[in-house]
Amino acid sequence: MPLPLIIGLGIGAGSFLAGIWRTITGVTRIKAAQARYESRRSEYDAAERRAKEHQTNVETALQDLGRERLEATVVLGRAAEFLGKARVKDRELFEKLDIPTHTLTLWQGASVKAIEVLGGIGKSVVSGALTAAGAYSLVGSLASASTGTAIATLNGVAAQNAILAWLGGGTLAAGGGGVAMGTAVLGGLVAGPAVLVASFFIHAKAAQVERVVEQNVSEMDRAEAAMQAHAAYLDAVLLRVCELRETTRRLKRNLEELLVSASPEDERDVFRVAKVAKNLGAVLDAAVLDKDGRPIPPEAR
Amino acid sequence: MPDPIVPKVVKATVIRRAPAPARVALPLADAIRACIEYAKIAQAEKTERARIRAKRDVAVAAINAHRDVILRYFELRFKERETALSRFFVQLDEGIRTRNDKLLDVALHGIVSIVKDNPLADFEAFRQQMAKPEFLLDL
C-alpha cells in the first residue's frame, strides 16, 4: 500500500475517532450543565416554598395579634363603662390622667365594633380585619369606621392585600423573571446542539449552555439570598408582633382583674382602672406596619 | 452571501483529482479552523462565566451582610426590650397587688415607652443611614 494512502487513511480514521469522542464529551457537558440547572432550580423552588410558609406564619401571627387586640378593645369598653359610672368628675380624669371625655366615648364605640368583628370570626372576610387589627393603630381605625362589618369587608381586605404584598416582597420579585426565562432559553440551546454533527460546534454550544446555566444559577443564588434577607426582616416583624401580643394580653388581664375587684365608689380604684385602661389604649394604638404594609417610618410614630 | 454550491463544486473537482494526502488536507484545514474558532468561543465563554460568578459573589455577599445586620440588630434590640418589659410587668403586678400607685405609674410608663418605640421603624432609619457612604458604625 502506498505510503501517502496509509497516511491519508490514518489521519481520516484518527480524526473520525477524535470527532466521535469529542461529540460524546460535548453532549456530556451539555447534559451536565442541564442537570446542574435542574438541581439548582429544585433547590430554589424549595427555598421559595419555605419563604411562602414564613410569610404565612407572619400573617397568622398578625391575625392572632388582631384577635388579642380586639378582645382587649372589648375590655377597654368595659373600663369606659366603669369610669362612666364612677364618682369621679370628667374634669378630674382629664386633669390628673389626661383622659378627655371623648376618649371614653371612643373606647366604647370601638368596643362595640370590636364585638361585631369578633362575632364574625370564622367568616373568610374577617381574616382581613384581624390582619389589619394586628398591623395598624386599632382604636382610632375602629372608631372611624362606620361599622365593624365595614372594617371586615373593605378596610380589612385592602389592608390585608397591602400587608401581604409587603410580606411577600423579595421572593418572586427578586428572582422571578430571570429564572423563569432561564428555563425557556436553556430548552432552546439544548435542543440546538442535538442536530449538530461537528464536535467543535457541539463543544461551542456546550460552552454557551454552561454560560446560560451559570447566569441562571447566579440569578437564583441572588434571589435566594434576597429571600433569606427578607425572611430575617419577617422574623423581626414576628418578634414585634409577639411583643405586642404579649404586652396586650398582660395589660388586658391586669385591667380585667382590676375591673373585677375595683369599686366605682373608691376614687383610688377608679384612677387605677383609668391608668391601666389609658395605657392599654396606647398599646393598642401602636402600629406594626403603615398603610402600604411597610414598617412605619420614624416620622409617622 | 457567496453561492454555497460553488465551493462544493470546486472542492469536489479539486479533491477528486488531487493525490490522497491533499484530499485529506482540505477537510483537515476546516477542522483546524473550527478548532481555532472553538478555542476563541471557549475562552470568551469561560471569561463570561467568571464575570457572572464574580458579580454574583459580590451581590450575594452584600445581601448576606445586610441580612446579618438585620439579624444581629433585631436580636439585640428585642432581647433587651423583652428583659425590660418583663421587669416592668413584675412591677405592675406588684403595684396592683399592693395598691402601690407609684409603682403602677412607673411600670405603666415603662411598658408604654418601650412598646411605642417601634424597632422596625428604627431599623428603616438605621438602614438609610447605613446606605450613606460616610456612615460609621460606633460599637
Side-chain angles (χ1 to χ4, degrees):
Chain A
M1 193 181 281
L3 188 65
L5 192 62
I6 293 169
I7 293 170
L9 280 173
I11 291 173
S15 57
F16 174 77
L17 289 174
I20 294 287
W21 173 248
R22 285 191 61 79
T23 302
I24 291 166
T25 55
V27 170
T28 308
R29 273 177 72 185
I30 291 171
K31 283 188 174 169
Q34 194 175 21
R36 184 184 169 213
Y37 173 84
E38 276 160 12
S39 159
R40 184 67 187 89
R41 178 79 208 203
S42 74
E43 281 172 15
Y44 178 81
D45 288 344
E48 205 172 53
R49 279 195 298 276
R50 284 195 298 275
K52 280 182 182 152
E53 279 168 21
H54 213 100
Q55 183 189 337
T56 309
N57 290 344
V58 176
E59 197 200 333
T60 308
L62 272 173
Q63 290 187 357
D64 289 345
L65 172 62
R67 189 177 292 114
E68 192 71 54
R69 290 176 125 189
L70 288 167
E71 285 169 7
T73 307
V74 175
V75 179
L76 205 59
R78 279 170 50 206
E81 204 178 315
F82 172 87
L83 293 172
K85 287 182 203 159
R87 288 201 178 165
V88 177
K89 287 175 186 159
D90 292 344
R91 191 166 50 83
E92 275 184 304
L93 271 180
F94 181 69
E95 282 172 1
K96 290 188 180 171
L97 295 173
D98 194 21
I99 301 178
T101 319
H102 70 82
T103 300
L104 297 184
T105 316
L106 190 111
W107 289 351
Q108 279 178 316
S111 165
V112 170
K113 281 159 197 165
I115 292 168
E116 272 186 55
V117 177
L118 285 168
I121 284 180
K123 294 174 190 165
S124 61
V125 287
V126 176
S127 72
L130 290 178
T131 311
Y136 305 140
S137 296
L138 183 63
V139 181
S141 47
L142 277 177
S144 62
S146 55
T147 63
T149 317
I151 291 207
T153 53
L154 299 170
N155 307 1
V157 171
Q160 190 183 35
N161 288 342
I163 293 164
L164 294 187
W166 183 84
L167 293 180
T171 51
L172 292 173
V179 173
M181 203 183 292
T183 319
V185 171
L186 188 62
L189 280 174
V190 173
V195 296
L196 293 174
V197 286
S199 66
F200 288 120
F201 288 122
I202 287 187
H203 272 272
K205 279 290 166 196
Q208 287 174 4
V209 170
E210 282 165 353
R211 191 235 312 143
V212 172
V213 168
E214 193 69 58
Q215 181 70 48
N216 278 276
V217 167
S218 291
E219 275 180 34
M220 285 187 270
D221 287 347
R222 263 198 299 239
E224 195 173 325
M227 272 192 263
Q228 284 170 356
H230 190 69
Y233 217 166
L234 290 184
D235 281 341
V237 171
L238 206 54
L239 284 171
R240 171 71 170 155
V241 167
C242 291
E243 180 185 89
L244 283 172
R245 193 178 60 209
E246 186 60 14
T247 308
T248 305
R249 190 184 65 77
R250 293 184 80 167
L251 279 179
K252 182 189 80 175
R253 197 193 61 203
N254 286 129
L255 185 57
E256 278 174 324
E257 282 169 10
L258 274 175
L259 284 171
V260 168
S261 61
S263 158
E265 312 291 327
D266 184 336
E267 191 179 299
R268 291 184 68 186
D269 275 359
V270 173
F271 278 114
R272 271 185 217 117
V273 167
K275 276 178 200 170
V276 177
K278 184 192 166 189
N279 285 288
L280 176 60
V283 169
L284 292 178
D285 269 341
V288 180
L289 304 169
D290 70 8
K291 281 183 186 166
D292 297 324
R294 295 170 306 205
I296 53 169
E299 63 269 18
R301 278 184 292 160
Chain B
M1 284 277 285
D3 187 349
I5 298 168
V6 177
K8 274 189 185 172
V9 172
V10 172
K11 274 183 192 172
T13 316
V14 172
I15 291 169
R16 270 191 208 130
R17 287 178 187 177
R23 280 185 212 169
V24 178
L26 211 56
L28 202 62
D30 281 347
I32 290 166
R33 266 200 302 277
C35 178
I36 292 167
E37 189 62 28
Y38 164 68
K40 282 183 196 166
I41 292 170
Q43 187 54 48
E45 295 290 349
K46 194 177 167 187
T47 309
E48 183 60 13
R49 285 200 304 273
R51 191 191 65 78
I52 292 167
R53 273 196 296 270
K55 209 172 148 190
R56 183 265 326 264
D57 288 347
V58 170
V60 169
I63 296 169
N64 286 344
H66 178 67
R67 188 198 60 195
D68 290 346
V69 170
I70 294 175
L71 286 172
R72 288 205 59 191
Y73 178 86
F74 285 118
E75 191 185 328
L76 290 172
R77 282 294 307 269
F78 279 103
K79 192 89 187 158
E80 73 188 17
R81 288 161 69 91
E82 190 187 354
T83 310
L85 277 172
S86 298
R87 203 179 61 236
F88 284 128
F89 270 112
V90 169
Q91 287 182 342
L92 181 66
D93 290 343
E94 182 71 10
I96 290 174
R97 193 176 58 79
T98 59
R99 296 176 165 247
N100 181 340
D101 288 327
K102 204 169 173 186
L103 202 56
L104 192 80
D105 289 342
V106 170
L108 287 171
H109 182 261
I111 290 166
V112 172
S113 303
I114 292 172
V115 167
K116 279 192 138 184
D117 172 34
N118 183 357
L120 299 171
D122 290 350
F123 183 74
E124 282 295 297
F126 175 70
R127 200 164 59 163
Q128 281 166 19
Q129 286 295 318
M130 215 169 62
K132 291 179 185 169
E134 70 274 14
F135 177 75
L136 269 177
L137 183 61
D138 261 340
L139 292 171

